[in-house]
């Protein structure tokens, strides 16, 4: 079938309002947040389906003609997972934006994959409940993309990753088969839990079209403090104390190393809440059910941390505005474009007890290779996740060489090259640094079983089995 005839059949199945072809393709579909497709390539078409049936029709056609398919959400990904390949059909989920049901008794919300995270948060809040996943891109990222990458964010410590916030899925397979399992029960052991094949697999095994999300009771209290400590050993002591005394109410434990804290302050153009000169800065937050007693307990833990010589200085938020100001400092750390541009960014996980050693090793090895190297470190820490920004004076920036230095250190610490951003194309080369050959072989076997012709998001995560 000629390309023009293929495009005509797409138009016939979806209708002209849901398809853009050739020169009519919006340039924004050529990239995710960080990775653009090569200038000599282009998508054949972009399709904007409205439901699973239209997704199925597109995939059946693409399967019949071995046409690659790349699914896109809000285009906020940071690993190239949604970057098109030449001649592909892009499936943009942005028209699938319905919230179909909020079940307050079951504590669930059923949504289409194109709903933004912020819309889900607001709908849960209006129902007196909480959808706890939270990212800086909340207003743009789509639930389908959050599922595709198994998104994490700031509250993983208490509520888990996206995988922990989903009860059921509707998925369209590579051959167009629609598999609907919109389970609303927390307990369901009726066979394999197939949803996990599609969460965190970046659209390489199927296309998520609907999801049943798990909601939680809305917290009635929030207690937040910014603490200064001497070193990473003190960070670990504070974490142990917070876990022991706050238990399940501990919702965030964010650590900033001195250089990233200083640069965030400069980027904001106003004094930071705590003075410089300390070894690390920790944002601690707890969410509970009763503000007065929760605040009293939180303050008692801070007092204990001073008495035990763990915390050198601290400031306790006295209002929602102060809490937001603390979080602004933390969130600004992640804006490498403002604080350390041009930089190579990393999203890695390291066993919690060894993160301090890891940061020192990274700094030493970067300095040994590039004496002028600058690097900044911050992260969720209690879940092992560290974000890193690295800048050197070479022009162009030696991205691959920096990648090798950092990921070799991750490998030595038996960490993960991707904590929450996915593999996509940027980290594909380094997947073996964290995953055994046997596990990668099993991934390829699963890929071959569900997508034997390799049409779904080709070139991402792992290559298919070859003869």
């Amino acid at each position: 079938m000629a390309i023009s005839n293929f495009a005509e059949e797409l138009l016939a199945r979806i209708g002209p309002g849901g398809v853009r072809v050739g020169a009519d393709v919006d340039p924004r579909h050529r990239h995710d947040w960080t990775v653009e497709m090569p200038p000599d390539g282009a998508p054949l078409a972009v399709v904007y389906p409205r439901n699973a049936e239209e997704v199925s029709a597109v995939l059946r056609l693409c399967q019949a003609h071995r046409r690659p398919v790349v699914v896109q959400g809000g285009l906020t990904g940071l690993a190239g997972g949604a970057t098109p390949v030449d001649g592909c059909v892009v499936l943009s989920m942005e028209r699938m934006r319905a919230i179909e049901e909020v079940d307050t008794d079951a504590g669930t919300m059923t949504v289409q994959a194109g709903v933004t995270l912020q819309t889900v948060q607001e709908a849960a809040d209006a129902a007196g409940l909480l959808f706890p996943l939270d990212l800086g891109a909340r207003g743009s990222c789509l639930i389908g993309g959050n599922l595709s990458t198994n998104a994490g964010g700031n509250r993983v410590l208490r509520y888990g990753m996206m995988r922990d916030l989903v009860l059921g899925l509707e998925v369209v397979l590579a051959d167009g088969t629609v598999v609907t399992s919109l389970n609303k029960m927390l307990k369901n052991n009726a066979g394999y839990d197939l949803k996990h094949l599609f969460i965190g697999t970046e659209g390489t095994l199927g296309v998520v079209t609907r999801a049943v999300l798990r909601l939680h009771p809305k917290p009635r209290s929030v207690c937040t403090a910014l603490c200064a400590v001497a070193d990473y050993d003190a960070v670990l002591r504070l974490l142990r104390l917070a876990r022991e005394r706050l238990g399940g109410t501990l919702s965030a434990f964010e650590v900033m190393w001195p250089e990233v804290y200083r640069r965030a302050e400069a980027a904001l153009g106003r004094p930071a809440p705590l003075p410089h000169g300390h070894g690390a800065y920790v944002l601690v937050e707890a969410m509970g059910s009763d503000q007065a007693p929760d605040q009293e307990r939180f303050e008692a833990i801070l007092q204990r941390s001073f008495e035990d010589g763990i915390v050198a200085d601290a400031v306790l938020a006295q209002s929602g505005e102060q809490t937001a100001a603390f979080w602004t400092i933390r969130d600004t750390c992640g804006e490498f474009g403002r604080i350390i541009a041009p930089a190579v960014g990393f999203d890695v996980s390291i066993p919690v007890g060894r993160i301090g050693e890891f940061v020192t090793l990274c700094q030493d090895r970067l300095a040994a290779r590039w004496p002028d190297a600058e690097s900044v470190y911050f992260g969720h820490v209690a879940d092992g996740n560290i974000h890193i920004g690295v800048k050197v004076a070479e022009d162009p920036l030696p991205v691959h060489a920096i990648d090798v230095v950092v990921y070799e250190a991750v490998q030595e610490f038996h960490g993960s090259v991707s904590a929450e951003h996915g593999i996509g194309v940027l980290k594909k080369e380094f997947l073996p640094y964290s995953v055994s050959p046997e596990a990668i072989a099993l991934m390829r076997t699963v890929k071959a079983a569900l997508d034997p012709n390799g049409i779904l998001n080709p070139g991402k995560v792992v290559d298919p089995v070859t003869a």
Side-chain angles (χ1 to χ4, degrees), residues 378-456:
F378 70 97
H380 312 300
V381 171
D383 56 25
N385 186 187
I386 291 294
H387 298 285
I388 306 168
V390 180
K391 176 182 178 180
V392 301
E394 288 185 28
D395 186 18
L397 199 62
V399 174
H400 186 266
I402 294 172
D403 282 346
V404 170
V405 170
V406 173
Y407 289 137
E408 283 183 349
V410 171
Q411 184 179 38
E412 290 179 29
F413 279 77
H414 304 288
S416 171
V417 298
S418 181
E420 57 184 353
H421 293 168
I423 295 297
V425 292
L426 289 185
K427 300 185 180 184
K428 184 178 175 183
E429 173 188 348
F430 301 102
L431 185 63
Y433 285 41
S434 296
V435 181
S436 70
E438 295 79 10
I440 291 175
L442 182 55
M443 291 180 190
R444 288 176 172 153
T445 299
V446 174
K447 171 72 170 173
L450 292 177
D451 183 20
N453 295 316
I455 69 167
L456 292 177

Side-chain angles (χ1 to χ4, degrees), residues 243-265:
R243 280 175 164 162
E244 289 170 1
R245 300 301 178 91
L246 294 172
T249 67
L250 181 62
S251 56
F253 192 89
E254 305 285 318
V255 179
M256 297 164 279
W257 272 255
E259 183 61 15
V260 76
Y261 182 76
R262 182 186 67 78
R263 287 174 182 261
E265 177 190 54

Side-chain angles (χ1 to χ4, degrees), residues 23 99 120 123 132-133 135 145 166 174-176 214 223 246 249 306 313 325 347 357 367 377 386 413 432 436 440:
I99 294 178
V120 168
L133 182 73
L135 314 171
V166 181
D175 64 0
R214 184 183 178 190
C223 304
L246 294 172
T249 67
F306 278 107
D313 198 358
D347 156 54
E357 299 173 59
Y377 305 82
I386 291 294
F413 279 77
S436 70
I440 291 175

Side-chain angles (χ1 to χ4, degrees), residues 48-52 55 71-75 91-100 110-120 138-147 162 170 207-211 213:
Y48 303 88
R50 292 168 294 188
N51 50 50
V55 173
V71 185
Q72 292 186 344
L75 299 172
L91 269 178
S92 174
M93 309 304 285
E94 60 190 55
R95 287 209 298 178
M96 297 182 62
R97 59 184 69 172
I99 294 178
E100 299 180 353
T110 304
V111 303
Q112 288 185 315
V115 180
T116 67
L117 173 58
Q118 183 171 333
T119 300
V120 168
R138 65 186 69 84
S140 303
C141 64
L142 307 187
I143 287 296
N146 299 150
L147 288 161
M162 186 66 175
E170 176 183 77
V207 180
V208 174
T209 50
R210 289 195 289 168
L213 306 176

